[in-house]
């Protein structure tokens, strides 16, 4: 059976190593895939990565998806829902564009329990007295909040699970470039040279490295899925 999935949010394209997934109810290769992100830069990066694949990439708003109702077999919001100003509106849009009996899923870094891979960076910025921007809807990363929202939207067969992942960086410079310099928050551009030097010193002292200098960062996410009523 052909399967048409929708993905919302491409903000991790630079660090796609964090997430490897396929549409959870697609038994065969999808006939088409659509994905949106509000950022021109992220869409451009995604186009380079997926230029040889049948993926339709669009700039769009998670709270006003540019698709007709009942179009997709699967809708997934990957590491995005806690960035949406109104998580209920974002999730309800996924329900709207998904076919009856289709699957709606989301996963977010477990922000409130320190599960985000940027937690060390946030804590060291806080220690330096530099405000570190957090996701505006961090509360939705709680399992209780996710389950309540999926139930409120009338989804059935709701399941949750914790996803635990890790990523290994070749050395501290690799970590700094990938997790700090390339951060969508643009934090490095807001720091003075002295602040950057002190932040580097603090992070390097904090993050354990192997004998070869490699640094492994662990993270966890709260995941949920449910099925739209037939």
């Amino acid at each position: 059976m052909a399967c048409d999935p929708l993905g919302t949010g491409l903000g991790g394209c630079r660090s796609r190593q964090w997430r490897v997934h396929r549409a959870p109810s697609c038994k065969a290769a999808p006939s088409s895939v659509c994905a949106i992100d509000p950022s021109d830069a992220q869409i451009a990066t995604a186009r380079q990565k997926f230029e040889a694949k049948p993926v339709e990439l669009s700039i769009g708003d998670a709270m006003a998806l540019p698709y007709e109702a009942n179009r997709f077999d699967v809708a997934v919001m990957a590491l995005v829902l806690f960035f949406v100003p109104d998580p209920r509106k974002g999730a309800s849009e996924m329900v709207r564009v998904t076919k009856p009996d289709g699957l709606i899923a989301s996963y977010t870094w477990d922000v409130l329990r320190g599960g985000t891979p940027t937690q060390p960076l946030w804590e060291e910025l806080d220690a330096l007295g530099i405000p570190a921007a957090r996701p505006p809807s961090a509360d939705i990363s709680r399992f209780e909040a996710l389950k309540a929202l999926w139930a409120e939207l009338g989804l059935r067969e709701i399941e949750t699970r914790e996803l635990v992942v890790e990523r290994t960086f070749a050395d501290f410079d690799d970590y700094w470039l990938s997790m700090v310099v390339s951060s969508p928050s643009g934090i490095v551009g807001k720091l003075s040279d002295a602040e950057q030097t002190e932040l580097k010193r603090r992070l390097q002292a904090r993050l354990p490295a192997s004998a070869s200098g490699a640094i492994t960062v662990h993270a966890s996410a709260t995941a949920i899925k449910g099925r739209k009523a037939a």
Side-chain angles (χ1 to χ4, degrees), residues 130-184:
I130 300 168
R134 264 70 165 183
S137 302
D139 187 66
I140 199 62
S141 67
R142 295 185 304 112
F143 277 121
E144 295 82 359
L146 284 170
K147 286 189 285 188
L149 177 55
W150 256 234
E152 181 186 346
L153 294 173
L155 300 179
R156 57 186 178 81
E157 300 178 26
I158 297 171
E159 297 180 29
T160 60
R161 64 175 294 184
E162 181 181 37
L163 305 177
V164 178
V165 297
E166 64 179 38
R167 180 177 173 187
T168 298
F169 301 88
D171 51 29
F172 182 78
D173 287 341
D174 184 25
Y175 170 87
W176 179 260
L177 177 62
S178 300
M179 297 298 294
V180 185
V181 175
S182 297
S183 169

Side-chain angles (χ1 to χ4, degrees), residues 94-227:
M94 287 200 296
V95 175
R96 180 185 66 80
V97 302
T98 301
K99 296 174 183 177
D101 204 40
L103 199 69
I104 293 93
S106 175
Y107 56 95
T108 65
W109 294 128
D110 193 356
V111 177
L112 297 185
R113 294 194 300 173
T116 172
T118 54
Q119 189 67 26
L121 172 62
W122 288 352
E123 291 181 1
E124 294 306 333
L125 286 169
D126 288 343
L128 290 172
I130 300 168
R134 264 70 165 183
S137 302
D139 187 66
I140 199 62
S141 67
R142 295 185 304 112
F143 277 121
E144 295 82 359
L146 284 170
K147 286 189 285 188
L149 177 55
W150 256 234
E152 181 186 346
L153 294 173
L155 300 179
R156 57 186 178 81
E157 300 178 26
I158 297 171
E159 297 180 29
T160 60
R161 64 175 294 184
E162 181 181 37
L163 305 177
V164 178
V165 297
E166 64 179 38
R167 180 177 173 187
T168 298
F169 301 88
D171 51 29
F172 182 78
D173 287 341
D174 184 25
Y175 170 87
W176 179 260
L177 177 62
S178 300
M179 297 298 294
V180 185
V181 175
S182 297
S183 169
S185 67
I187 186 63
V188 169
K190 302 171 186 176
L191 303 178
S192 68
D193 290 345
E195 288 171 333
Q196 284 192 45
T197 298
E198 179 59 12
L199 179 60
K200 274 187 174 181
R201 186 192 69 77
R202 296 179 72 99
L203 284 170
Q204 201 157 14
R206 172 177 181 155
L207 297 169
S210 68
S212 67
I215 293 172
T216 298
V217 176
H218 301 271
S220 61
T222 51
I224 189 167
K225 67 178 180 179
R227 201 167 288 280

Side-chain angles (χ1 to χ4, degrees), residues 14-76:
R14 290 192 188 91
S15 54
R16 183 63 66 170
Q17 295 94 324
W18 282 109
R19 42 195 169 113
V20 178
H21 67 276
R22 63 185 176 89
S25 70
C26 291
K27 308 256 186 238
S31 58
S32 65
V33 177
C34 296
I36 74 161
D37 194 278
S39 165
D40 291 349
Q42 295 295 351
I43 289 293
T45 300
R47 284 200 173 108
Q48 291 177 352
K49 286 183 174 289
F50 304 129
E51 61 181 350
K53 300 183 183 297
V55 180
E56 176 189 316
L57 299 167
S58 306
I59 296 171
D61 183 348
M63 296 188 294
L65 295 174
Y67 308 109
E68 67 273 17
N70 303 321
R71 173 174 174 179
F72 300 99
D73 297 289
V74 179
V76 180

